[in-house]
Amino acid sequence: MKNVRQNEILKIVQTQDVETQEQLLEELKARGFSTTQATISRDIKELRLVKELTGVGGYRYAQSDRKSSSTTDARLRNIFKEGVISVDVAQNIVVVRTMPGLASAACSALDAMAIAGMVGSLAGDDTGILIMRDNTSAQQFCGEVHKLLR
């Protein structure tokens, strides 16, 4: 069932401009798939879907053409230079502020990097939080990101 659902997701994003997980969920329901937003979120990550800018100023999910882990560093630098506005640290949490719609892409890229000391991430529309193991890891990571943004 998972493979069938994920194939349907790929068909949807290839033929329609889907901007949000909620829109994707509605499209799947219209096609007879009963699922949850959490499942959709996992599918998006597993399928390596990214949000890209449309010609009319919005965003849409699209299949990433970069599958190699060797491109992860370049992708991260690109995402950060183009979309991250600021980073700040509060104890063991790093707050990443992005342009609207890019927090998910930034957090997804960070998750893919398997950063030492990072437990996980959570993304909204324009803000992501990274949960680090300890305060020191958070401070070090925040410092590294500041270097990337220069």
Side-chain angles (χ1 to χ4, degrees):
M1 184 67 169
K2 177 180 174 179
N3 287 337
V4 174
R5 182 185 64 249
Q6 288 186 347
N7 284 334
E8 196 64 29
I9 289 171
L10 290 174
K11 287 178 191 174
I12 291 169
V13 300
Q14 289 169 355
T15 59
Q16 299 177 31
D17 286 348
V18 177
E19 194 167 344
T20 66
Q21 290 182 10
E22 292 77 23
Q23 287 175 313
L24 187 55
L25 186 61
E26 290 301 317
E27 281 298 321
L28 284 170
K29 284 183 182 178
R31 296 171 187 220
F33 291 87
S34 178
T35 189
T36 65
Q37 186 274 329
T39 300
I40 297 293
S41 183
R42 282 189 296 273
D43 287 342
I44 288 169
K45 189 172 185 176
E46 288 176 18
L47 293 169
R48 297 180 187 261
L49 297 181
V50 295
K51 279 196 172 181
E52 66 180 14
L53 190 60
T54 65
V56 294
Y59 292 91
R60 67 183 292 273
Y61 281 107
Q63 193 170 13
S64 174
D65 57 354
R66 298 179 184 174
K67 303 248 190 253
S68 168
S69 62
S70 65
T71 62
T72 303
D73 285 343
R75 256 191 2 198
L76 178 65
R77 282 186 185 88
N78 218 15
I79 288 169
F80 271 73
K81 286 183 179 182
E82 297 298 322
V84 173
I85 296 168
S86 68
V87 292
D88 201 357
V89 65
Q91 295 187 9
N92 70 318
I93 297 173
V94 177
V95 178
V96 179
R97 297 212 183 265
T98 69
M99 293 176 63
L102 295 181
S104 181
C107 286
S108 180
L110 290 165
D111 287 339
M113 290 190 71
I115 295 166
M118 189 169 110
V119 177
S121 69
L122 180 66
D125 182 57
D126 62 356
T127 304
I129 62 167
L130 311 177
I131 296 92
M132 306 302 281
R133 281 217 188 277
D134 53 45
N135 297 359
T136 304
S137 297
Q139 289 287 346
Q140 288 174 343
F141 180 76
C142 196
E144 290 176 26
V145 172
H146 279 121
K147 290 177 191 174
L148 278 176
L149 293 176
R150 290 183 199 162

